[in-house]
């Protein structure tokens, strides 16, 4: 659990008295490649600390094509946040693209500690702010940048991901076809 504590404390330091209440809520688990952490049309109940591995958040359109919305690379927090907040069915699935080590936690039990542990609530707010900023950044990039520019940013943000996951997942994340991605990669390789 040291990784969990280090990750949380790097974002917003928790008191030892808070840790004494938080640590028992997290259970070590594994998520095997292709397994789902959050399924579409299910109500989410848990969050997890992704210790190692890669998870994608994606949705499927009416024609059955999936779009990768986000990649989570250990270490990070995963969970169907909208479903957790609203109690409604999840629209964005989360699936492991590699074998993952995770620590799961019942979201309701964690948030029940907010009133007595304001440092934990502050941590949760900072995580929510982080993901909001990431979402806005991606929305701006998809509109204002061309595919090559988005690919360059992807390489900077996720430098090791190309060796870990299939190229069609990267293309989906960038909002382009696998053929377009192949052309862009060839263009950069020839420079």
């Amino acid at each position: 659990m040291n990784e969990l504590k280090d990750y949380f404390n790097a974002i917003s330091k928790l008191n030892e008295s808070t840790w004494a209440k938080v640590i028992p809520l997290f259970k070590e688990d594994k998520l095997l490649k292709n397994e789902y952490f959050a399924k579409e049309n299910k109500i989410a109940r848990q969050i997890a600390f992704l210790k190692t591995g890669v998870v994608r958040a994606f949705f499927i359109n009416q024609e059955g094509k999936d779009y990768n919305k986000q990649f989570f690379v250990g270490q990070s927090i995963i969970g169907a946040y909208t479903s957790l907040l609203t109690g409604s069915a999840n629209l964005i699935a989360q699936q492991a693209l590699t074998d993952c080590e995770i620590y799961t936690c019942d979201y309701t039990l964690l948030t029940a500690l907010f009133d007595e542990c304001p440092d934990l609530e502050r941590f949760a707010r900072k995580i929510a702010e982080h993901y909001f900023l990431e979402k806005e950044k991606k929305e701006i990039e998809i509109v204002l940048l061309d595919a090559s520019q988005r690919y360059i940013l992807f390489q900077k943000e996720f430098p090791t991901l190309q060796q870990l996951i299939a190229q069609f997942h990267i293309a989906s994340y960038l909002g382009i076809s696998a053929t377009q991605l192949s052309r862009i990669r060839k263009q950069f390789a020839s420079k």
Side-chain angles (χ1 to χ4, degrees), residues 148-161:
S148 294
Q149 292 169 317
R150 291 194 308 270
Y151 179 67
I152 291 168
L153 284 177
F154 170 83
Q155 287 181 305
K156 288 178 183 173
E157 190 173 346
F158 301 107
T160 61
L161 217 47

Side-chain angles (χ1 to χ4, degrees), residues 16-39:
E16 284 305 315
S17 60
T18 299
W19 276 118
K21 295 171 185 160
V22 169
I23 289 293
L25 300 180
F26 283 86
K27 307 294 180 227
E28 191 170 3
D29 202 355
K30 294 210 179 293
L31 194 60
L32 300 178
K33 183 177 180 178
N34 296 322
E35 282 187 331
Y36 286 82
F37 181 73
K39 291 186 178 180

Side-chain angles (χ1 to χ4, degrees), residues 1-25:
M1 294 268 180
N2 287 338
E3 298 91 349
L4 175 74
K5 286 181 83 169
D6 291 345
Y7 179 81
F8 275 47
N9 284 334
I11 293 167
S12 187
K13 190 159 178 57
L14 299 184
N15 298 319
E16 284 305 315
S17 60
T18 299
W19 276 118
K21 295 171 185 160
V22 169
I23 289 293
L25 300 180

